[in-house]
Amino acid sequence: MDFPRNADDVDDLMSSFNTLVDEIAEARTKVAALTATASELEGRVRVTVNARGVVIETFLDDDVAEQVPTPRLASAITAAAQSAAAQVGTEAARIWDPINERRGGLPRASDVLAGIPKFDELLGSAPEPPLTVEHKNPTDSPGDLSIYEDVELPESADSSFNQRAW
């Protein structure tokens, strides 16, 4: 859309803007309600995430912990969570795409006011978050974590609190 030249153009622009605001509100509600579930190990591990990719439910078959080595089980849970998060992201993008297309048809401040930079050009693209954990020591792995046995806990002045709490 070109810069408004008269009152009718401003009315059209405001109408388009108001419609877009309504569509954005509806899209936000739809996206916030999204969930996705992914499975691994032939369905024996299932993870459900919310619209932000946060795990909200994890299901493990009753015997999977006894039959699958812990590192493989951990990897399966991670893979299912990442897959579910990717599904949510894809669905959210599908919801936002038509709105982003329409938004692109509206004039930007940089189109109508000389010297104002485009935010996209100033910020660039956002960095991608990691999908793996970066260990501080390259030789560390989850299997290398220290496990302490025979740990003595100090007696508290009133141990009844600890007993009730646990």
Side-chain angles (χ1 to χ4, degrees), residues 25-85:
E26 184 179 335
R28 288 177 70 186
T29 300
K30 285 180 182 176
V31 168
L34 290 176
T35 63
T37 301
S39 63
E40 286 286 323
L41 299 177
E42 299 173 355
R44 298 174 69 198
V45 170
R46 290 191 304 274
V47 177
T48 300
V49 300
N50 67 13
R52 292 188 175 152
V54 174
V55 174
I56 58 173
E57 183 178 52
T58 302
F59 170 82
L60 304 173
D61 273 353
D62 291 336
D63 61 349
V64 74
E66 290 86 33
Q67 295 181 357
V68 177
T70 303
R72 175 66 184 114
L73 181 57
S75 293
I77 293 168
T78 300
Q82 290 175 348
S83 178

Side-chain angles (χ1 to χ4, degrees), residues 122-140:
L122 286 175
L123 299 175
S125 58
E128 290 294 322
L131 295 177
T132 59
V133 175
E134 182 179 325
H135 296 284
K136 291 180 183 176
N137 181 346
T139 61
D140 286 349

